Amino acid sequence: MKLISKISLYNLILMMLIYLVLGVVVFSGVKYIYTKESKDDLYDFKDLIEDQIQNGIFPSNPPYLVVEKLEGKHKKKKDFKVIKMKDYDDDSVDDFYELIAVKKIKGAYYRISIRSKIIESEEFLETIFKSLIALFFVQIVITVIVNYRISKKLFKPFYQILEELKKFSVSSPDKTNFQLSGIHEFEVLKESLNQMIDKIINDYSNLKEFTENAAHELQTPLSIMQNKIENIIQTPNLDKDVLEEIISIQKSISRLRKLNKSLLLLAKVESSTYYNTEEINLNEIVQNNIDRLNDIIDLKEIKLEIEESQTCITTMNRDLADILIANLIENAIKHSHSGALLQLTIHSDKLIISNSGDAIIPNSAEIFERFAKGNQSDSSHGLGLAIVAKICNLFGIKIRYSYKNSMHNFTLEV
Amino acid sequence: MKLLVIEDEKELLLAIEKFMLTDGYKCDTASDFQTASQKIWDFKYDMIVLDIMLPDGNGLKLLDEIKENQGDAGIVIISAKDSLEDKMNGLDLGADDYLTKPFHIAELNSRLKALNRRRVSKGQATIEFGEIKILPEERKVYVKTNLLDLTGKEFDLLLFFYANKDRVLTKESIVEHLWGDFIDAYDNLDFIYTHLRNLRKKISEAGAENYIKTVYGVGYQFKID
């Protein structure tokens, strides 16, 4: 729910309560004044009648006005009350105010009964209720319109901040451009966000730099170890057991070296050190890689099907394009069993690399994550597809993985 | 063949030097910009291996000095930086080849040999040993007078072996030479065995002896007795 809707809702609930209280107050007030006025009216009228009796006129209008001459002596009294009686023109019983006064005029006692019909409470209620409801709806309409207008204007800087935040990416941090809002809260928010973003960018670049430096610094010692080992194995008549141990070390070093190289590449792609882009014909890149790997494909007895109906051209860095395609094809070959099918389909805007295999990969959503391995005993370092994803991301290429009809498919959309 | 290796990492320098000495090079070394500059001015080299990241100066600057004093020396740049700009700059400034650390010294050796062939013989070089004759530029191999029908990989393999003859080569260095080093660890490297088997077969069927020896558990050795 939008903030402004929530505010409006609370406003309306509050208003409803206010209107309810208002209704009760208005109703009692009107009722009180009405009763008072009616009473005053009846007394005034009684005074008028008394004057008329004084002047020898005896008005009569039953049942509203009855004047009776009383025999004998009576006590003076005034009695005001509410009674129920039938009106003269219909059968319904209604509430009436009744004022009965006994008064001595010119030596005789008179009883004056004045009755006046009371407007029923329901009628008051109805009128008040209707007016309040009408008012209430007018208020809703006004509130909604005003809130909408105000929120559009007032929250404009807020939505701008949101837009800027959506655009923000830590790997390609353009300086966020928060505009001046003139509203204290938003200014504070902006300032905090700017501080936070600066810190994030700083931490991120430190981390990236660290990875790059660490990987970089590892290169030389690894180089030395590897070269020394290659020199050691030249020694004639080395003990076979020793040699085995050395080769085992050499394999580990080799693995480390590849891992390190991939980490370095990943760090480099992330920091977008590769700037030069050019028009790349992916068909050519695919063909070059197939030429390079052809014998491995033959050796594994993989059935290769290439379907290139169109030329796929995209703008990117040549070396990264090569690494991208090489990683995908090598990945497909690596996970193909002997006799499997490897399909390469090239459209003008799409490149699909598929290999047959029956195992569904668990956690296929994480397939592009670092160190995500289909198989833990796998000797690969698990960075190949992470590099693929990073390269795709860098050049705005969409990559998808799917498993359909016993085929693992990687689809690139350029 | 006189070689100058410029590399600031002493251990790596020693490893390269040891390798090159056993391979019959006359090998000179320099581990900083100053020494390297001095040697370039004072002596004459056939080949120079240059690390462009030196503690006291950019190795790319040394390239100019090399060009000035060692006009026809072959230059191979080695760098820990896999940066394309460096590669481009290096090659533009007159280096002949570029190798990214870490590398197998056998790979460096094979590049140096290839470079030397191109430099000295301008493409007319032939390599002859025993009954075998290799024409590197034409990518042809003869045993006696028989032309061998080798695939591209088999030819590369033979040349790589020859460049590193008498040395034990690990399967890994062979794989990296043939397929590039971004091949992500295949579970076993035995697929090079097929190429080797075919190569051996083709050579022996043509009437030459088997020079490729298997060093059990390690790799292979090309031995010319």
Side-chain angles (χ1 to χ4, degrees), chain A residues 61 150 210 243 268:
Chain A
N61 183 21
I150 287 180
F210 173 78
L243 202 56
K268 214 171 288 176

Side-chain angles (χ1 to χ4, degrees), chain A residues 25-71:
Chain A
V25 170
V26 168
F27 175 72
S28 346
V30 169
K31 182 101 184 171
Y32 171 76
I33 291 167
Y34 173 73
T35 312
K36 194 167 170 284
E37 283 299 312
S38 304
K39 200 172 169 182
D40 288 353
D41 277 355
L42 286 188
Y43 277 95
D44 287 349
F45 192 54
K46 183 209 73 175
D47 290 346
L48 183 76
I49 301 300
E50 280 170 6
D51 285 350
Q52 285 182 337
I53 295 171
Q54 199 93 38
N55 298 330
I57 305 166
F58 300 95
S60 174
N61 183 21
Y64 308 117
L65 174 61
V66 178
V67 179
E68 297 158 281
K69 194 170 180 186
L70 300 174
E71 300 298 325

